[in-house]
Amino acid sequence: MFELSKEGVEFVKKEMQRYETKRSAIIPALYKVQEENGGWVSPECVTYLSQLMDLPEVWINEVLNFYTMFNKEPVGKYHVQVCCNVSCAMNGGRELADHLCKELNIKDGRHSEDGRYTLSRVECLGSCGTAPMMQVNDKYYENLTKESAVQILKELP
Amino acid sequence: MLKCKINGVEVEVKEGTTIIEAFKIAGQKIAHYCWHPGLSVAGVCRLCMVEIKGQPRLQIACNTPVQDGMEITNQSEQVKETVRWGLDFHLINHPLDCPICDQAGECGLQDQYMEFGLYTPEMAEPKVKKHKVVDLGSKIVLDTERCILCSRCVRFTAEVTKTYELGIFNRGDRSEIGTFENKPLENNYALNTVDICPVGALTSKDFRFRQRVWYLQERESICTGCSTGCNIKIYFNEEGLFRIRPVYNEKVNGYWMCDEGRNIYKFVNKENRLLKAKKGRKGEWLEMEGGAAAKDVAHHFKSLDKERIALVVTGQFSNEEYEALFQFYKKNVGNDFVYHWINNKESFEDFDGLLLRGDRNPNTKGLLQKLEDYRYEQTWAHLEENLKAGKIETLIVAGPENPLWFPDLKEKVQQWGIQLSHLIWLSSAKVQAVDEVECLTWQIPLKTFFEKDGTYVNYQGLEQKSHRIATIVPGALSLSEAAHLMAGEEYKVDMAPILKGPKKNYYVHRRGYL
Ligand code: SF4
Ligand code: SF4
Ligand code: FES
Ligand code: FES
């Protein structure tokens, strides 16, 4: 059974106070759960959160399913999100994603064989001026080339 | 009060009335999917477009309040064109599987398309594929491709039942209705979502693929499932009854009914009925017509000891029937051994907070009133004592229409079979236990609420009239008719037109499969 840490619970409780309705605190709560659950939100996490926040499971699931920044399945140590929206696409974002798959040994387009990387093609991350770009876990890497991207990922601890 | 003009018709409406409500008041047609008078306003389908004089842009009628002096129309070319396109957008990813869809014939998409169809669809993109035949438990099947995301069903589970099972997952054209982790949708009001779903996305397992709706007739009636007395519409044809849906009644049930009440039609259909009168005992039954059996009782009655007769009544009959039965009893028996059979004692006072009451009888109130009028005040304990002491030889039982809610039925009948020498059993239901009694028994088949006129008094004391619609079991009597015949009177039994009954098609008559 998943449970948030003491600080995690406190954080969620505080967020619930912050808005007019506690339903609005679902996004920050999901972020916290994802962080403490190893990068993804499992159905058990939803049930747990529904009890903690006293909200219907289905409301939490709606938010979880609406946003791509929440992962509905386990991800590798590094979740690589390559932007494939217009500015990045015009600057080679889609080719970059293909290239990373090859270099990182990602055969199903999702997970590397060693489980270290998970790759997602995502919509605009608001960094169009420095396209193409990618986000690795919480960090942005901009003005990428195929080579620099591979190097960045391989050099990660 | 506010004055406004709807398509040229002047109406006065209360402050706060929305334009769509004003359309209904004015008797004007307006296209809509997401708006439902029993739910909150969502304003998502964008079909209820209207033009308001002096406003450059079209507005949605369901979320715009009427203002004094407004002139509103949905007959202009601009409105029609907008609705036409709105409908076309709804159909972008729609699978168009009407021929195999159970909603066909009563579908909002079909109906509106007849009126606002573009008829030259211009969408060339491949359709987004979603989930079909999603099993939502024992009652409902979901087809997410057919769903137009009006959110009525979601609002229903959030606002009416407050059970919050349904939600909209994912986003954009991948949005889908569903339950968390595919949990079944089992609350006792779930089938209302099937009614309010304007398309074939939510269908009832009990009803789907059993009849095409255009082969069904519909008639209004009163649910006999409990003491609430919801107003209902019964759908039937020559083969029998097929489904029940609620009819709006502000005072009783609003827009909804419970799922258990939807099952009462099964106790009207032939499969669960006592089809012929019978006289005899276990292993030696003589079949006869209902009227003949009642007359035979009258004949036999003369030789019975009147002080050793008792009458048991359930809350399943109409006021008129109680009156006739008690008249008969007063004149022909004369004692006051009349007992009220409370079928489910432990839960009799229950209430689920919405509609369903623990008193699973349509007319307990009416019965209590009649018992009082006739000063029949005996308790059930008195009956049991007398039976034990052997003081009662003959029992007349006006038994259940719906045996499901008589959990003590079998036990009681078995006990009576041993304690009595005669049992006069009046019921519309097929009850196995009665076929196995050892005492001399008359089983007289009764009509159900569907086959007779009658007045029922619900838990609030509200009198509601139920009208006969058709006959399923020819030869069955109403309790009044049985009473008159048992009294030895000449009495003409009256019958509504007879339905032929089910065709012999094995697959058509199996229920509850996907
Ligand atoms: S399933 Fe039916 S009621 Fe529910 S949102 Fe879809 S179309 Fe509307
Ligand atoms: S609440 Fe009672 S009267 Fe209403 S539908 Fe259910 S069983 Fe019938
Ligand atoms: S398009 Fe890639 S960051 Fe905006
Ligand atoms: S009925 Fe008004 S937007 Fe759907």
Side-chain angles (χ1 to χ4, degrees):
Chain A
M1 253 317 281
F2 170 80
E3 265 179 36
L4 278 176
S5 66
K6 230 161 112 211
E7 297 88 299
V9 172
E10 247 160 55
F11 170 82
V12 171
K13 293 233 155 111
K14 213 154 101 221
E15 289 296 308
M16 283 161 66
Q17 308 283 309
R18 201 164 134 189
Y19 306 96
E20 218 165 284
T21 67
K22 54 185 178 174
R23 195 175 182 175
S24 308
I26 293 177
I27 292 183
L30 277 172
Y31 266 128
K32 184 50 89 190
V33 167
Q34 173 156 296
E35 181 191 316
E36 292 197 11
N37 191 50
W40 73 295
V41 184
S42 66
E44 295 81 61
C45 295
V46 173
T47 306
Y48 168 79
L49 211 49
S50 129
Q51 282 157 4
L52 180 66
M53 301 178 78
D54 191 23
L55 290 172
E57 285 167 329
V58 78
W59 287 4
I60 294 165
N61 209 43
E62 280 176 334
V63 176
L64 173 66
N65 277 274
F66 189 91
Y67 294 106
T68 45
M69 69 263 193
F70 299 124
N71 299 313
K72 270 78 68 183
E73 52 177 25
V75 290
K77 186 166 179 207
Y78 298 107
H79 184 205
V80 184
Q81 304 185 56
V82 184
C83 175
C84 293
N85 206 294
V86 57
S87 309
C88 292
M90 290 170 79
N91 282 295
R94 291 183 289 200
E95 292 75 15
L96 176 64
D98 292 342
H99 183 72
L100 289 181
C101 282
K102 224 171 45 220
E103 290 298 311
L104 301 176
N105 213 0
I106 297 174
K107 298 218 166 110
D108 58 359
R110 243 343 243 163
H111 306 285
S112 66
E113 299 223 305
D114 57 5
R116 189 171 141 95
Y117 306 102
T118 296
L119 186 128
S120 307
R121 290 156 212 256
V122 299
E123 305 304 333
C124 178
L125 290 171
S127 194
C128 319
T130 52
M133 59 82 68
M134 67 179 177
Q135 179 185 340
V136 181
N137 293 349
D138 289 336
K139 218 163 161 240
Y140 274 22
Y141 297 89
E142 294 153 295
N143 292 317
L144 298 170
T145 61
K146 285 179 182 171
E147 293 71 32
S148 67
V150 173
Q151 195 187 349
I152 290 166
L153 290 171
K154 293 221 160 134
E155 280 173 6
L156 286 170
Chain B
M1 291 302 256
L2 308 170
K3 275 206 180 81
C4 64
K5 251 193 196 166
I6 309 284
N7 290 345
V9 183
E10 282 238 17
V11 283
E12 271 198 35
V13 297
K14 276 195 246 131
E15 192 98 22
T17 308
T18 56
I19 294 179
I20 203 165
E21 289 164 340
F23 264 77
K24 301 275 165 185
I25 293 168
Q28 293 292 312
K29 268 175 57 182
I30 181 160
H32 61 87
Y33 288 137
C34 65
W35 180 78
H36 186 284
L39 301 171
S40 65
V41 172
V44 293
C45 75
R46 317 310 282 183
L47 224 61
C48 62
M49 289 294 184
V50 290
E51 194 175 322
I52 304 168
K53 201 172 167 195
Q55 296 192 15
R57 289 179 56 186
L58 301 185
Q59 304 289 337
I60 52 171
C62 64
N63 207 14
T64 312
V66 172
Q67 283 166 15
D68 203 33
M70 263 188 179
E71 285 180 36
I72 310 150
T73 178
N74 67 349
Q75 296 300 311
S76 67
E77 254 327 294
Q78 201 196 348
V79 172
K80 286 185 181 163
E81 186 66 6
T82 309
V83 175
R84 215 169 278 140
W85 277 103
L87 198 53
D88 219 50
F89 286 132
H90 274 300
L91 288 165
I92 292 179
N93 288 313
H94 191 81
L96 292 177
D97 50 359
C98 308
I100 55 156
C101 175
D102 211 48
Q103 189 86 357
E106 53 181 7
C107 171
L109 282 171
Q110 288 182 334
D111 292 349
Q112 300 300 351
Y113 209 76
M114 296 310 283
E115 206 157 335
F116 298 105
L118 204 51
Y119 291 97
T120 49
E122 303 189 10
M123 299 299 165
E125 288 75 19
K127 295 190 187 248
V128 175
K129 298 258 192 319
K130 296 185 191 173
H131 296 96
K132 296 184 86 71
V133 212
V134 180
D135 189 349
L136 286 187
S138 64
K139 303 193 233 188
I140 295 173
V141 183
L142 167 68
D143 184 310
T144 61
E145 284 188 342
R146 293 181 190 149
C147 170
I148 54 160
L149 296 165
C150 71
S151 82
R152 276 182 175 187
C153 57
V154 177
R155 280 174 284 147
F156 179 83
T157 57
E159 294 164 13
V160 181
T161 57
K162 302 199 168 54
T163 42
Y164 303 98
E165 289 101 337
L166 290 165
I168 300 177
F169 304 142
N170 230 311
R171 114 190 95 109
D173 61 3
R174 284 173 180 71
S175 302
E176 267 182 281
I177 290 289
T179 56
F180 175 61
E181 287 287 280
N182 241 333
K183 282 192 186 159
L185 181 56
E186 295 286 7
N187 76 64
N188 192 29
Y189 293 84
L191 285 168
N192 288 298
T193 61
V194 174
D195 294 344
I196 58 177
C197 179
V199 298
L202 293 165
T203 49
S204 149
K205 279 194 184 174
D206 187 50
F207 179 69
R208 74 203 299 255
F209 307 152
R210 317 223 351 107
Q211 283 288 331
R212 278 304 197 184
V213 291
W214 52 85
Y215 293 132
L216 292 172
Q217 301 182 49
E218 44 182 85
R219 290 287 203 79
E220 291 192 9
S221 190
I222 309 291
C223 177
T224 55
C226 83
S227 59
T228 298
C230 295
N231 291 203
I232 54 172
K233 210 181 255 175
I234 300 174
Y235 293 75
F236 67 100
N237 65 16
E238 278 292 316
E239 295 183 27
L241 281 65
F242 287 90
R243 72 169 171 192
I244 292 180
R245 288 180 149 187
V247 171
Y248 177 67
N249 185 333
E250 192 191 349
K251 290 204 203 92
V252 183
N253 53 313
Y255 294 93
W256 323 116
M257 72 181 291
C258 81
D259 290 356
E260 289 186 29
R262 288 174 198 261
N263 279 329
I264 61 170
Y265 78 89
K266 293 176 186 165
F267 298 95
V268 175
N269 277 339
K270 273 206 165 108
E271 300 89 86
N272 293 311
R273 296 288 298 278
L274 176 58
L275 298 175
K276 279 269 184 239
K278 294 182 213 176
K279 180 185 176 183
R281 48 169 58 86
K282 185 178 180 177
E284 355 168 340
W285 293 105
L286 182 67
E287 281 199 355
M288 51 176 88
E289 287 307 318
K295 282 185 188 161
D296 191 59
V297 169
H299 185 70
H300 204 84
F301 226 68
K302 297 190 190 93
S303 62
L304 295 177
D305 179 352
K306 302 292 182 300
E307 280 315 301
R308 290 173 171 249
I309 299 179
L311 173 64
V312 166
V313 263
T314 56
Q316 304 252 303
F317 300 93
S318 67
N319 283 354
E320 294 80 356
E321 288 173 297
Y322 291 135
E323 178 62 28
L325 183 68
F326 289 175
Q327 275 296 329
F328 151 80
Y329 197 76
K330 200 170 142 191
K331 280 195 204 134
N332 296 278
V333 182
N335 68 29
D336 71 340
F337 298 162
V338 178
Y339 305 94
H340 177 196
W341 180 0
I342 298 174
N343 33 335
N344 47 332
K345 265 211 180 67
E346 301 74 38
S347 56
F348 207 70
E349 301 295 328
D350 289 2
F351 176 47
D352 71 354
L354 264 173
L355 292 170
L356 183 64
R357 297 192 173 257
D359 175 5
R360 295 303 181 80
N361 298 285
N363 200 16
T364 298
K365 263 257 155 97
L367 171 59
L368 293 177
Q369 184 60 49
K370 271 278 159 354
L371 287 169
E372 205 179 306
D373 294 350
Y374 278 80
R375 297 191 204 296
Y376 291 142
E377 289 158 353
Q378 302 290 8
T379 61
W380 192 262
H382 184 258
L383 170 69
E384 303 245 308
E385 261 167 49
N386 276 351
L387 279 169
K388 244 188 234 137
K391 285 192 194 150
I392 292 176
E393 285 173 350
T394 305
L395 202 58
I396 306 169
V397 183
E401 178 167 313
N402 197 329
L404 200 67
W405 293 318
F406 283 67
D408 53 350
L409 181 61
K410 191 172 167 193
E411 176 204 334
K412 286 227 156 62
V413 169
Q414 280 173 347
Q415 185 195 334
W416 293 335
I418 298 163
Q419 292 167 329
L420 297 166
S421 47
H422 308 100
L423 173 64
I424 299 164
W425 176 260
L426 302 146
S427 169
S428 58
K430 178 162 74 184
V431 180
Q432 176 77 23
V434 184
D435 279 339
E436 282 160 14
V437 291
E438 300 280 2
C439 65
L440 179 59
T441 299
W442 287 263
Q443 296 190 39
I444 301 179
L446 294 186
K447 292 175 179 170
T448 57
F449 73 102
F450 184 76
E451 300 160 292
K452 66 193 180 194
D453 292 326
T455 311
Y456 298 89
V457 186
N458 83 348
Y459 76 100
Q460 306 156 288
L462 187 79
E463 282 191 8
Q464 301 197 92
K465 290 230 180 318
S466 159
H467 298 287
R468 68 171 202 191
I469 298 170
T471 296
I472 304 287
V473 176
L477 310 171
S478 72
L479 192 54
S480 315
E481 288 160 350
H484 286 293
L485 290 170
M486 289 193 304
E489 294 163 25
E490 275 308 314
Y491 197 83
K492 205 180 147 289
V493 175
D494 200 18
M495 237 178 6
I498 302 169
L499 302 184
K500 281 200 231 92
K503 285 195 202 127
K504 292 222 168 0
N505 182 334
Y506 176 75
Y507 293 102
V508 170
H509 290 283
R510 282 182 65 182
R511 284 177 191 282
Y513 292 83
L514 266 179

